[in-house]
Amino acid sequence: MLRVAEHVERTDTGRQRRMNEDSYVARSPLFVIADGMGGAQAGEVASQTAAAVFDRGLPPGAGSVEERLAGAVQEANEQIHGLSLSSDELAGMGTTLTAAYVGEHDVTVVHVGDSRGYRWRDGALERLTTDHSLVEELVRQGRLEPEEAEDHPQRSIITRALGPEAVVQPDSHTFPARDGDVFLLCSDGLTDMVGEAVVAGVLAGAGTLQEAARGLIGRANDAGGRDNITVILFRLEEVLPADAAAQGTDDDATRAGAAALRAEDVRRALEESGSDPGRAGSDPGAVTAPRTGPVERRTPIARRQTASPARRRRRRLRLGMGWIVAACFLGVVALGGYLASQTVYFVGSDADGFVSIYRGVPYELPAGLSLYHRDYVSGVSAVQLTPQQRRTIVEHRLRSRRDSDELVRQLELGTLSGH
Ligand code: MN
């Protein structure tokens, strides 16, 4: 029978993202990768919620491994979907999920989205999963050549994920496996940056799994590292049943388990902070632009005139008070502006030309202070849009989160007409 001889997990934020929204579970013989998406920290919440479900291992039950894994996918989907409905911060979040379970003679892979599974055998790389992505569907329909798909600007748009809908349909397959097989699970941060020939080259050239994992992440970063990169590699060996029984299951390494940010914590934090998650930005019509007019500086100016030391002291005192009052005034204005700027959003394009959602208002203060930050980057390139669609992303109209999400979603799906 088969057992996992060794496994290696490695995740990297990449070169361009600030946060890592990928999560993974390595609870041999179960391995999972989840690649979260959504504004702010929602993507992280989504992927970690999914990982937490799988962190309990293969769900017990009478069904086949495929059915039991599909059941866990469904459970994770329900949890993420429920959380996404519970607060505006988490609305619309989702995650991919690719899980592999090593059985006695085979490996079962279930997946949703575009995190992939590969098998490396006898120097050949074989892909085990079919991306649930717009680009892959176009290839299947014969409307796009596979080589065009590899660097298509919309390749990160996925058509299936855990979270957005109440029910999700995972794909599942069981592959016969044998001694020496190496399986690779990876997020799209790897496969969007490097082709399969490069992946195969790294695997062929690496002396150890550790070296292979490091090499894959290195190549993805060398190619730009536009997204978080996560890889799991495990090698199988054939053993006698007695040896397999002696193998413990205590070699767990679970990033989601160790991570502090659990969905439960996020929900509690939102409740404790007193912010009403259902309220903020829920009414697109109710969004008001914050006042960002120029702030009049009331700087006291010391007059140059001769005065007695006592008067000078008094004046210096008054002057000090004036500065404090002015500083407080500016502080209050700045704080008010900041708070106001954090409840509105606008849609624009980022430095790379991708349509993005920004939180805040589209203004910059002197000294490089900006009143906005990027919340979500879509896979839609601004150059792909029609002139009419492009206008919606250059006008920087202030919107609610929901309205912004809806606009970007329509751009992603290509269903936006006049807006
Ligand atoms: Mn990704």
Side-chain angles (χ1 to χ4, degrees), residues 17 22 35-36 96 114-115 156 187-189 192 227-229:
R17 299 280 171 96
D22 288 356
D35 174 357
T96 70
D114 64 356
S115 299
S156 55
S187 59
D188 68 333
D192 272 359
D227 194 4
N228 309 141
I229 312 145

Side-chain angles (χ1 to χ4, degrees), residues 8 81 128 144 168 171 192 285 404:
V8 165
H81 186 62
L128 308 176
L144 203 67
V168 71
D171 282 353
D192 272 359
S404 305

Side-chain angles (χ1 to χ4, degrees), residues 64-66 101 103 105-110 119 172-177:
S64 67
V65 170
E66 284 189 21
Y101 180 83
H105 308 287
D106 44 31
V107 175
T108 298
V109 177
V110 299
R119 181 176 57 201
S172 58
H173 294 285
T174 297
F175 303 90

Side-chain angles (χ1 to χ4, degrees), residues 50 53-54 56 59 66-82 97 110 112 161-163 165-170:
V53 169
F54 283 84
R56 304 195 296 253
E66 284 189 21
E67 287 165 351
R68 287 152 71 191
L69 288 175
V73 168
Q74 194 55 47
E75 186 188 335
N77 182 70
E78 276 165 25
Q79 285 188 18
I80 297 163
H81 186 62
L97 186 121
V110 299
V112 173
L162 272 66
E165 313 284 342
V167 175
V168 71
Q169 181 63 50

